[in-house]
Amino acid sequence: VVDVVQMGRNHRSGFRPDWGAVRVQTAWKVIHAKFSQFDTLRPYLLSTAGKRIVVQGDDFWGVGKTGLGENKLGEVLMQVRDVLLQAEAGSQAQSEPSAQSPVQAHAQAHAESQAELQAQSQAESQPGSLQRVHSGNDPLD
């Protein structure tokens, strides 16, 4: 595995002249694209909602060895997270009323299955309904 940071440090002469001015904006675009496009990665970032992201690294992208670095990568990750959370909240608010979260869908499915079992139980207790056949081999007989 090639250490990309080390490669960057060794090739400073190849940087664009305005890199210092555009590097955070460029990182934001890349990180936003990454977490917007990859459904498997997005939940990891969104699960940090409300928390501060601190990156271990150099004094610019991370907090550095002293812990007093600028943490620019952490800030970018938090900004992208907030944008994605707002977009997700907006899409949920604009979606059809039938759209549900996985938790809501599970709760509804559970309630429906319970109602079905209760209806089945009531139907079996009615005269003329199907009754349990006693085999004699069942310990519940």
Side-chain angles (χ1 to χ4, degrees):
V1 176
V2 177
D3 186 350
V4 176
V5 174
Q6 191 59 42
M7 285 177 56
R9 288 184 181 135
N10 292 338
H11 298 286
R12 290 211 185 270
S13 63
F15 284 172
R16 52 189 274 185
D18 62 343
W19 179 244
V22 300
R23 60 185 170 172
V24 174
Q25 179 184 14
T26 302
W28 193 96
K29 289 178 183 178
V30 170
I31 291 169
H32 182 265
K34 177 180 181 176
F35 287 102
S36 295
Q37 296 172 29
F38 293 95
D39 295 335
T40 55
L41 296 177
R42 190 177 316 110
Y44 292 107
L45 182 60
L46 298 184
S47 71
T48 67
K51 297 177 183 168
R52 183 167 189 259
I53 299 175
V54 176
V55 175
Q56 300 297 317
D58 63 23
D59 287 332
F60 181 77
W61 292 110
V63 293
K65 293 178 182 176
T66 64
L68 302 174
E70 295 183 54
N71 195 36
K72 292 296 183 185
L73 181 55
E75 290 176 7
V76 167
L77 286 164
M78 291 183 287
Q79 290 170 3
V80 169
R81 174 195 64 203
D82 294 345
V83 167
L84 294 175
L85 284 169
Q86 289 173 354
E88 189 174 277
S91 69
Q92 286 178 357
Q94 293 176 2
S95 64
E96 297 178 25
S98 62
Q100 296 178 323
S101 73
V103 172
Q104 291 169 324
H106 177 73
Q108 181 178 352
H110 178 71
E112 289 171 357
S113 68
Q114 291 298 316
E116 186 178 315
L117 287 173
Q118 186 177 13
Q120 218 173 26
S121 175
Q122 287 175 349
E124 289 174 359
S125 66
Q126 298 294 325
S129 66
L130 294 174
Q131 297 293 317
R132 186 168 180 260
V133 177
H134 299 280
S135 66
N137 296 330
D138 191 329
L140 297 177
D141 287 333

PDB file of all heavy atoms in Angstrom, residues 105-127:
ATOM      1  N   ALA A 105     -41.490   0.431   9.370  1.00  0.00           N
ATOM      2  CA  ALA A 105     -41.964  -0.683   8.556  1.00  0.00           C
ATOM      3  C   ALA A 105     -41.998  -1.975   9.363  1.00  0.00           C
ATOM      4  O   ALA A 105     -42.946  -2.762   9.263  1.00  0.00           O
ATOM      5  CB  ALA A 105     -41.073  -0.847   7.322  1.00  0.00           C
ATOM      6  N   HIS A 106     -40.979  -2.195  10.183  1.00  0.00           N
ATOM      7  CA  HIS A 106     -40.933  -3.396  11.023  1.00  0.00           C
ATOM      8  C   HIS A 106     -42.065  -3.381  12.037  1.00  0.00           C
ATOM      9  O   HIS A 106     -42.734  -4.387  12.253  1.00  0.00           O
ATOM     10  CB  HIS A 106     -39.584  -3.495  11.732  1.00  0.00           C
ATOM     11  CG  HIS A 106     -39.491  -4.664  12.672  1.00  0.00           C
ATOM     12  ND1 HIS A 106     -39.375  -5.947  12.229  1.00  0.00           N
ATOM     13  CD2 HIS A 106     -39.536  -4.722  14.024  1.00  0.00           C
ATOM     14  CE1 HIS A 106     -39.351  -6.760  13.274  1.00  0.00           C
ATOM     15  NE2 HIS A 106     -39.444  -6.042  14.370  1.00  0.00           N
ATOM     16  N   ALA A 107     -42.298  -2.238  12.661  1.00  0.00           N
ATOM     17  CA  ALA A 107     -43.372  -2.121  13.655  1.00  0.00           C
ATOM     18  C   ALA A 107     -44.731  -2.357  13.011  1.00  0.00           C
ATOM     19  O   ALA A 107     -45.585  -3.044  13.580  1.00  0.00           O
ATOM     20  CB  ALA A 107     -43.335  -0.747  14.317  1.00  0.00           C
ATOM     21  N   GLN A 108     -44.930  -1.816  11.808  1.00  0.00           N
ATOM     22  CA  GLN A 108     -46.200  -2.018  11.122  1.00  0.00           C
ATOM     23  C   GLN A 108     -46.371  -3.489  10.745  1.00  0.00           C
ATOM     24  O   GLN A 108     -47.453  -4.051  10.916  1.00  0.00           O
ATOM     25  CB  GLN A 108     -46.286  -1.146   9.874  1.00  0.00           C
ATOM     26  CG  GLN A 108     -47.617  -1.322   9.147  1.00  0.00           C
ATOM     27  CD  GLN A 108     -47.746  -0.432   7.937  1.00  0.00           C
ATOM     28  OE1 GLN A 108     -46.913   0.434   7.703  1.00  0.00           O
ATOM     29  NE2 GLN A 108     -48.792  -0.645   7.166  1.00  0.00           N
ATOM     30  N   ALA A 109     -45.335  -4.126  10.241  1.00  0.00           N
ATOM     31  CA  ALA A 109     -45.420  -5.537   9.868  1.00  0.00           C
ATOM     32  C   ALA A 109     -45.729  -6.392  11.095  1.00  0.00           C
ATOM     33  O   ALA A 109     -46.531  -7.329  11.028  1.00  0.00           O
ATOM     34  CB  ALA A 109     -44.116  -5.997   9.211  1.00  0.00           C
ATOM     35  N   HIS A 110     -45.111  -6.053  12.224  1.00  0.00           N
ATOM     36  CA  HIS A 110     -45.367  -6.794  13.462  1.00  0.00           C
ATOM     37  C   HIS A 110     -46.817  -6.623  13.894  1.00  0.00           C
ATOM     38  O   HIS A 110     -47.487  -7.592  14.257  1.00  0.00           O
ATOM     39  CB  HIS A 110     -44.418  -6.311  14.567  1.00  0.00           C
ATOM     40  CG  HIS A 110     -44.631  -6.986  15.880  1.00  0.00           C
ATOM     41  ND1 HIS A 110     -44.291  -8.307  16.086  1.00  0.00           N
ATOM     42  CD2 HIS A 110     -45.171  -6.547  17.040  1.00  0.00           C
ATOM     43  CE1 HIS A 110     -44.619  -8.643  17.327  1.00  0.00           C
ATOM     44  NE2 HIS A 110     -45.150  -7.587  17.922  1.00  0.00           N
ATOM     45  N   ALA A 111     -47.326  -5.392  13.850  1.00  0.00           N
ATOM     46  CA  ALA A 111     -48.712  -5.129  14.235  1.00  0.00           C
ATOM     47  C   ALA A 111     -49.680  -5.865  13.311  1.00  0.00           C
ATOM     48  O   ALA A 111     -50.673  -6.445  13.772  1.00  0.00           O
ATOM     49  CB  ALA A 111     -48.994  -3.627  14.210  1.00  0.00           C
ATOM     50  N   GLU A 112     -49.376  -5.891  12.022  1.00  0.00           N
ATOM     51  CA  GLU A 112     -50.244  -6.586  11.074  1.00  0.00           C
ATOM     52  C   GLU A 112     -50.243  -8.089  11.317  1.00  0.00           C
ATOM     53  O   GLU A 112     -51.287  -8.735  11.262  1.00  0.00           O
ATOM     54  CB  GLU A 112     -49.815  -6.274   9.637  1.00  0.00           C
ATOM     55  CG  GLU A 112     -50.133  -4.851   9.219  1.00  0.00           C
ATOM     56  CD  GLU A 112     -49.524  -4.473   7.883  1.00  0.00           C
ATOM     57  OE1 GLU A 112     -48.787  -5.291   7.272  1.00  0.00           O
ATOM     58  OE2 GLU A 112     -49.777  -3.331   7.435  1.00  0.00           O
ATOM     59  N   SER A 113     -49.077  -8.654  11.610  1.00  0.00           N
ATOM     60  CA  SER A 113     -49.016 -10.094  11.852  1.00  0.00           C
ATOM     61  C   SER A 113     -49.737 -10.449  13.149  1.00  0.00           C
ATOM     62  O   SER A 113     -50.407 -11.482  13.243  1.00  0.00           O
ATOM     63  CB  SER A 113     -47.571 -10.604  11.871  1.00  0.00           C
ATOM     64  OG  SER A 113     -46.882 -10.106  12.988  1.00  0.00           O
ATOM     65  N   GLN A 114     -49.634  -9.575  14.161  1.00  0.00           N
ATOM     66  CA  GLN A 114     -50.358  -9.813  15.413  1.00  0.00           C
ATOM     67  C   GLN A 114     -51.862  -9.750  15.184  1.00  0.00           C
ATOM     68  O   GLN A 114     -52.618 -10.577  15.714  1.00  0.00           O
ATOM     69  CB  GLN A 114     -49.939  -8.789  16.482  1.00  0.00           C
ATOM     70  CG  GLN A 114     -48.528  -8.966  16.986  1.00  0.00           C
ATOM     71  CD  GLN A 114     -48.329 -10.320  17.659  1.00  0.00           C
ATOM     72  OE1 GLN A 114     -49.144 -10.771  18.427  1.00  0.00           O
ATOM     73  NE2 GLN A 114     -47.217 -10.962  17.334  1.00  0.00           N
ATOM     74  N   ALA A 115     -52.313  -8.790  14.395  1.00  0.00           N
ATOM     75  CA  ALA A 115     -53.738  -8.667  14.088  1.00  0.00           C
ATOM     76  C   ALA A 115     -54.224  -9.892  13.318  1.00  0.00           C
ATOM     77  O   ALA A 115     -55.322 -10.413  13.558  1.00  0.00           O
ATOM     78  CB  ALA A 115     -54.002  -7.391  13.293  1.00  0.00           C
ATOM     79  N   GLU A 116     -53.404 -10.369  12.391  1.00  0.00           N
ATOM     80  CA  GLU A 116     -53.764 -11.558  11.608  1.00  0.00           C
ATOM     81  C   GLU A 116     -53.865 -12.785  12.507  1.00  0.00           C
ATOM     82  O   GLU A 116     -54.803 -13.582  12.395  1.00  0.00           O
ATOM     83  CB  GLU A 116     -52.719 -11.780  10.508  1.00  0.00           C
ATOM     84  CG  GLU A 116     -53.060 -12.895   9.555  1.00  0.00           C
ATOM     85  CD  GLU A 116     -52.025 -13.033   8.455  1.00  0.00           C
ATOM     86  OE1 GLU A 116     -51.623 -12.008   7.881  1.00  0.00           O
ATOM     87  OE2 GLU A 116     -51.636 -14.180   8.182  1.00  0.00           O
ATOM     88  N   LEU A 117     -52.925 -12.944  13.429  1.00  0.00           N
ATOM     89  CA  LEU A 117     -52.974 -14.078  14.358  1.00  0.00           C
ATOM     90  C   LEU A 117     -54.208 -14.008  15.250  1.00  0.00           C
ATOM     91  O   LEU A 117     -54.861 -15.019  15.518  1.00  0.00           O
ATOM     92  CB  LEU A 117     -51.701 -14.118  15.211  1.00  0.00           C
ATOM     93  CG  LEU A 117     -50.435 -14.561  14.510  1.00  0.00           C
ATOM     94  CD1 LEU A 117     -49.232 -14.372  15.431  1.00  0.00           C
ATOM     95  CD2 LEU A 117     -50.536 -16.012  14.078  1.00  0.00           C
ATOM     96  N   GLN A 118     -54.534 -12.813  15.705  1.00  0.00           N
ATOM     97  CA  GLN A 118     -55.709 -12.641  16.554  1.00  0.00           C
ATOM     98  C   GLN A 118     -56.986 -12.959  15.767  1.00  0.00           C
ATOM     99  O   GLN A 118     -57.874 -13.645  16.267  1.00  0.00           O
ATOM    100  CB  GLN A 118     -55.777 -11.219  17.098  1.00  0.00           C
ATOM    101  CG  GLN A 118     -56.899 -11.008  18.095  1.00  0.00           C
ATOM    102  CD  GLN A 118     -56.883  -9.599  18.671  1.00  0.00           C
ATOM    103  OE1 GLN A 118     -56.192  -8.723  18.162  1.00  0.00           O
ATOM    104  NE2 GLN A 118     -57.636  -9.400  19.724  1.00  0.00           N
ATOM    105  N   ALA A 119     -57.070 -12.504  14.535  1.00  0.00           N
ATOM    106  CA  ALA A 119     -58.241 -12.785  13.704  1.00  0.00           C
ATOM    107  C   ALA A 119     -58.352 -14.283  13.435  1.00  0.00           C
ATOM    108  O   ALA A 119     -59.445 -14.855  13.460  1.00  0.00           O
ATOM    109  CB  ALA A 119     -58.145 -12.011  12.389  1.00  0.00           C
ATOM    110  N   GLN A 120     -57.216 -14.919  13.189  1.00  0.00           N
ATOM    111  CA  GLN A 120     -57.193 -16.364  12.950  1.00  0.00           C
ATOM    112  C   GLN A 120     -57.667 -17.107  14.195  1.00  0.00           C
ATOM    113  O   GLN A 120     -58.464 -18.034  14.117  1.00  0.00           O
ATOM    114  CB  GLN A 120     -55.758 -16.785  12.606  1.00  0.00           C
ATOM    115  CG  GLN A 120     -55.638 -17.821  11.561  1.00  0.00           C
ATOM    116  CD  GLN A 120     -54.163 -18.011  11.194  1.00  0.00           C
ATOM    117  OE1 GLN A 120     -53.260 -17.756  11.994  1.00  0.00           O
ATOM    118  NE2 GLN A 120     -53.927 -18.465   9.980  1.00  0.00           N
ATOM    119  N   SER A 121     -57.213 -16.689  15.353  1.00  0.00           N
ATOM    120  CA  SER A 121     -57.592 -17.315  16.610  1.00  0.00           C
ATOM    121  C   SER A 121     -59.092 -17.169  16.853  1.00  0.00           C
ATOM    122  O   SER A 121     -59.764 -18.108  17.277  1.00  0.00           O
ATOM    123  CB  SER A 121     -56.798 -16.692  17.755  1.00  0.00           C
ATOM    124  OG  SER A 121     -57.232 -17.194  18.990  1.00  0.00           O
ATOM    125  N   GLN A 122     -59.616 -15.986  16.575  1.00  0.00           N
ATOM    126  CA  GLN A 122     -61.046 -15.753  16.752  1.00  0.00           C
ATOM    127  C   GLN A 122     -61.851 -16.597  15.780  1.00  0.00           C
ATOM    128  O   GLN A 122     -62.887 -17.156  16.129  1.00  0.00           O
ATOM    129  CB  GLN A 122     -61.372 -14.267  16.574  1.00  0.00           C
ATOM    130  CG  GLN A 122     -60.910 -13.408  17.719  1.00  0.00           C
ATOM    131  CD  GLN A 122     -61.139 -11.926  17.459  1.00  0.00           C
ATOM    132  OE1 GLN A 122     -61.457 -11.519  16.348  1.00  0.00           O
ATOM    133  NE2 GLN A 122     -60.952 -11.124  18.503  1.00  0.00           N
ATOM    134  N   ALA A 123     -61.389 -16.723  14.538  1.00  0.00           N
ATOM    135  CA  ALA A 123     -62.107 -17.503  13.538  1.00  0.00           C
ATOM    136  C   ALA A 123     -62.132 -18.981  13.923  1.00  0.00           C
ATOM    137  O   ALA A 123     -63.131 -19.664  13.720  1.00  0.00           O
ATOM    138  CB  ALA A 123     -61.459 -17.330  12.166  1.00  0.00           C
ATOM    139  N   GLU A 124     -61.042 -19.470  14.482  1.00  0.00           N
ATOM    140  CA  GLU A 124     -60.976 -20.880  14.874  1.00  0.00           C
ATOM    141  C   GLU A 124     -61.908 -21.188  16.043  1.00  0.00           C
ATOM    142  O   GLU A 124     -62.359 -22.305  16.208  1.00  0.00           O
ATOM    143  CB  GLU A 124     -59.533 -21.265  15.227  1.00  0.00           C
ATOM    144  CG  GLU A 124     -58.638 -21.335  14.019  1.00  0.00           C
ATOM    145  CD  GLU A 124     -57.183 -21.577  14.374  1.00  0.00           C
ATOM    146  OE1 GLU A 124     -56.855 -21.681  15.575  1.00  0.00           O
ATOM    147  OE2 GLU A 124     -56.379 -21.666  13.443  1.00  0.00           O
ATOM    148  N   SER A 125     -62.216 -20.189  16.848  1.00  0.00           N
ATOM    149  CA  SER A 125     -63.076 -20.420  18.000  1.00  0.00           C
ATOM    150  C   SER A 125     -64.564 -20.306  17.639  1.00  0.00           C
ATOM    151  O   SER A 125     -65.424 -20.598  18.456  1.00  0.00           O
ATOM    152  CB  SER A 125     -62.735 -19.456  19.134  1.00  0.00           C
ATOM    153  OG  SER A 125     -63.051 -18.128  18.741  1.00  0.00           O
ATOM    154  N   GLN A 126     -64.867 -19.895  16.413  1.00  0.00           N
ATOM    155  CA  GLN A 126     -66.258 -19.769  15.970  1.00  0.00           C
ATOM    156  C   GLN A 126     -66.805 -21.144  15.581  1.00  0.00           C
ATOM    157  O   GLN A 126     -66.085 -21.985  15.051  1.00  0.00           O
ATOM    158  CB  GLN A 126     -66.348 -18.835  14.756  1.00  0.00           C
ATOM    159  CG  GLN A 126     -65.889 -17.417  15.010  1.00  0.00           C
ATOM    160  CD  GLN A 126     -66.794 -16.695  15.995  1.00  0.00           C
ATOM    161  OE1 GLN A 126     -68.010 -16.908  16.010  1.00  0.00           O
ATOM    162  NE2 GLN A 126     -66.193 -15.857  16.820  1.00  0.00           N
ATOM    163  N   PRO A 127     -68.109 -21.379  15.835  1.00  0.00           N
ATOM    164  CA  PRO A 127     -68.712 -22.647  15.413  1.00  0.00           C
ATOM    165  C   PRO A 127     -68.604 -22.800  13.904  1.00  0.00           C
ATOM    166  O   PRO A 127     -68.753 -21.859  13.150  1.00  0.00           O
ATOM    167  CB  PRO A 127     -70.188 -22.506  15.836  1.00  0.00           C
ATOM    168  CG  PRO A 127     -70.227 -21.359  16.785  1.00  0.00           C
ATOM    169  CD  PRO A 127     -69.031 -20.521  16.517  1.00  0.00           C
TER     170      PRO A 127
END
